[in-house]
Amino acid sequence: MKGFRYLEGVATLELDGALCIGCGRCVEVCPHQVFCMEGKRAVIVDRDACMECGACALNCPAAALKVDAGVGCASGMIHEWLREKKLPGLNGGGCCG
């Protein structure tokens, strides 16, 4: 789902660049390519693509990442994407309602 957007400007994702050790785990585990490596540090390149799954923060050995995992309601995003594709049998709903 590259390029998918949920809501702009609401992701709780934070990266403390001073704590980053440049291991690249966030780049490896992020399903939406939110991060990239610049030099020997991770940077956020697409915050609005963050679905707040928490994989980056859970895998960061330096605790440089913080995110309120679950706030983005990944299930709701997936349902909306499927609804946009007009797949039969989807009548709404998400995980947050």
Side-chain angles (χ1 to χ4, degrees):
M1 292 194 326
K2 182 156 176 55
F4 184 80
R5 292 288 179 270
Y6 180 52
L7 297 172
E8 291 191 19
V10 299
T12 60
L13 177 65
E14 295 178 26
L15 168 63
D16 184 338
L19 294 177
C20 179
I21 60 172
C23 69
R25 288 194 186 139
C26 54
V27 176
E28 294 172 7
V29 301
C30 179
H32 290 273
Q33 297 84 41
V34 171
F35 305 94
C36 78
M37 298 300 291
E38 285 187 5
K40 296 187 180 200
R41 302 273 187 221
V43 294
I44 297 172
V45 293
D46 195 356
R47 182 183 311 275
D48 289 334
C50 178
M51 68 179 189
E52 299 177 319
C53 66
C56 59
L58 290 172
N59 286 281
C60 180
L65 291 158
K66 293 181 185 173
V67 64
D68 291 335
V71 175
C73 188
S75 176
M77 294 183 342
I78 292 167
H79 276 72
E80 179 62 25
W81 181 79
L82 293 172
R83 195 170 26 254
E84 285 178 8
K85 296 295 180 187
K86 298 181 179 14
L87 297 176
L90 293 175
N91 56 359
C95 66
C96 301

